[in-house]
């Protein structure tokens, strides 16, 4: 059996944006989203329709998560039953209220990954030591992304529709040239600094198949090639948003390496990844009116030293 190629070997000559925004940068390619880019996004607002892209946390039909993670658990802490007994709380004026809490993976729902969320060879984004992740992310946590917010021109690339499918299949791959062809078929181009939203509708199978969904788990998505990584670098893409759990095909078919684009795009180029979005209503609207460009706005929660955070992104047409 041939020896497994390492991530470091695969990406030995891959482009990096380390140092481009200074030694202390924790925002990476989100730096491309200047005020002018916000206004470029705003210029694509025509009708004022608003689409929320987060999946429901605590969906009665289940929450899709990366294998090994659990869906969030919400627990009721106080509700009307608290006033049933003799030792019920007694607030002046007769106030009753409800409280609850969640126990959740920060990566267990629609989420922004911190730029330092994945790494190889002991270095995270911008060359910070991977040991800065121990006990909490001292560098490149989700907090700087949350402090800044993400706003720009969003572009929906409806790959499922482009391929004439209800959803892409397990392990199905596509490339940057497919994205360009998809955009052309939709009647627009992909411009520098665009926030890319890619629809596969793969998570339809999570709801249709139940536990079978996780058998031989292998998501469809973009797949690694040096040309694809260079394409993202050349276009200075700030943010890749998808409706799959991990934004790329799970195992790169030629090498079997898991999630190489997390490393090539996020660790090396500083591109923010946004995962597990629900793009269905937005996609239906785009197909109906033929407008695939819009204002995209999102801000993950400000969680100190966190590896990621839930988010409810907005697309405004
Ligand atoms: C992993 O990093 C494993 O997954 P994700 O980016 O989907 O959180």
């Amino acid at each position: 059996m041939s020896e497994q190629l390492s991530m470091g070997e695969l990406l030995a000559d891959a482009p990096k944006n380390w140092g481009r925004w200074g030694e202390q940068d924790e925002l990476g390619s989100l730096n491309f989203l200047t005020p002018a880019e916000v206004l470029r996004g705003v210029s694509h607002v025509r009708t004022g329709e608003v689409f929320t892209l987060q999946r429901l946390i605590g969906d009665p039909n289940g929450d899709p998560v990366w294998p090994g993670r659990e869906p969030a658990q919400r627990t009721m802490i106080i509700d009307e039953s608290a006033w049933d007994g003799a030792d019920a709380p007694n607030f002046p004026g007769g106030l009753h209220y409800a409280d609850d809490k969640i126990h959740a993976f920060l990566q267990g729902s629609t989420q922004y990954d911190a730029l330092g969320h994945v790494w190889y060879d002991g270095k995270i984004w911008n060359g910070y030591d991977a040991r800065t992740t121990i006990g909490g992310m001292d560098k490149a946590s989700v907090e700087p992304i949350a402090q800044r917010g993400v706003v720009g021109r969003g572009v929906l690339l409806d790959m499922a529709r482009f391929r004439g499918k209800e959803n892409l299949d397990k392990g199905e791959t596509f490339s940057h040239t497919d994205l360009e062809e998809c955009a052309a078929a939709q009647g627009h181009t992909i411009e520098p600094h665009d926030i890319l939203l890619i629809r596969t509708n793969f998570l339809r199978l999570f709801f249709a198949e139940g536990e079978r969904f996780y058998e031989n788990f292998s998501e469809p998505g973009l797949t690694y090639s040096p040309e694809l990584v260079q394409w993202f670098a050349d276009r200075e893409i700030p943010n890749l948003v998808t409706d799959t759990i991990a934004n790329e095909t799970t195992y790169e078919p030629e090498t079997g390496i898991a999630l190489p684009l997390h490393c090539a795009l996020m660790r090396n180029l500083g591109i923010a990844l946004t995962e597990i979005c629900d793009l269905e209503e937005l996609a239906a609207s785009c197909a109906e009116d033929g407008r695939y460009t819009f204002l995209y706005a999102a801000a993950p929660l400000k969680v100190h030293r966190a590896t990621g955070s839930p988010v409810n992104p907005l697309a405004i047409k």
Side-chain angles (χ1 to χ4, degrees):
M1 205 172 123
S2 62
E3 211 170 288
Q4 171 70 62
L5 194 70
S6 73
M7 194 76 81
E9 287 165 335
L10 182 74
L11 302 180
D13 301 319
K16 280 198 185 81
N17 279 329
W18 293 5
R20 182 169 181 162
W21 296 282
E23 303 261 297
Q24 295 306 320
D25 179 75
E26 299 180 280
L27 290 167
S29 291
L30 293 176
N31 284 292
F32 291 128
L33 294 177
T34 59
E37 290 299 334
V38 174
L39 295 179
R40 191 169 71 91
V42 169
S43 75
H44 287 263
V45 177
R46 301 272 186 281
T47 56
E49 291 159 277
V50 177
F51 298 86
T52 59
L53 308 181
Q54 188 211 322
R55 282 201 170 277
L56 189 62
I57 294 176
D59 189 326
N61 298 311
D63 294 2
V65 288
W66 178 258
R69 294 181 187 146
E70 297 145 21
Q73 286 161 19
R74 193 188 56 79
T75 312
M76 214 63 191
I77 301 301
I78 191 163
D79 54 30
E80 179 59 13
S81 67
W83 281 270
D84 288 346
D87 55 353
N90 184 11
F91 291 98
L95 176 80
H96 291 194
Y97 65 93
D99 255 0
D100 50 5
K101 65 178 181 181
I102 60 169
H103 181 71
F105 274 84
L106 288 168
Q107 317 275 348
S109 58
T110 307
Q111 105 237 201
Y112 266 81
D113 282 348
L115 290 186
H117 171 52
V118 298
W119 62 89
Y120 61 93
D121 289 352
K123 298 255 186 256
I124 64 172
W125 159 250
N126 219 26
Y128 299 122
D129 194 314
R131 298 194 74 78
T132 57
T133 65
I134 294 176
M137 310 286 293
D138 289 335
K139 292 287 182 188
S141 78
V142 81
E143 196 181 331
I145 300 176
Q147 295 287 358
R148 185 181 201 277
V150 181
V151 184
R153 182 175 101 138
V155 173
L156 178 73
L157 297 154
D158 190 341
M159 284 302 300
R161 190 176 176 83
F162 177 58
R163 291 204 166 158
K165 293 174 152 184
E166 200 173 350
N167 56 269
L168 297 193
D169 299 320
K170 224 169 219 188
E172 183 171 344
T173 62
F174 50 90
S175 68
H176 58 296
T177 51
D178 293 313
L179 294 184
E180 283 186 332
E181 284 168 22
C182 175
Q186 292 176 172
H188 61 92
T189 53
I190 299 170
E191 295 175 8
H193 306 163
D194 278 348
I195 296 167
L196 305 186
L197 288 77
I198 301 178
R199 173 177 177 262
T200 67
N201 199 20
F202 179 63
L203 292 181
R204 188 186 78 78
L205 298 181
F206 170 84
F207 296 101
E209 293 183 345
E211 275 311 302
R212 257 195 319 126
F213 172 79
Y214 286 107
E215 284 169 18
N216 303 315
F217 181 78
S218 176
E219 290 199 294
L222 286 169
T223 194
Y224 169 81
S225 71
E227 295 76 20
L228 176 139
V229 176
Q230 195 58 52
W231 184 89
F232 271 85
D234 292 345
R235 271 151 200 76
E236 301 182 338
I237 300 298
N239 190 182
L240 174 64
V241 180
T242 83
D243 62 359
T244 61
I245 296 173
N247 271 15
E248 62 178 299
T249 188
T250 310
Y251 302 102
E252 195 279 311
E254 269 181 43
T255 61
I257 289 182
L259 305 184
L261 291 180
H262 271 59
C263 292
L265 301 184
M266 186 160 66
R267 177 214 189 242
N268 291 350
L269 292 177
I271 296 175
L273 299 189
T274 314
E275 298 162 328
I276 321 186
C277 287
D278 182 348
L279 301 176
E280 292 313 291
E281 284 186 16
L282 175 65
S285 161
C286 295
E288 195 178 317
D289 66 12
R291 288 192 300 120
Y292 286 82
T293 56
F294 39 81
L295 177 68
Y296 173 92
L301 302 180
K302 297 177 183 178
V303 187
H304 189 45
R305 299 179 82 201
T307 66
S309 154
V311 65
N312 186 8
L314 301 176
I316 305 167
K317 294 176 76 184

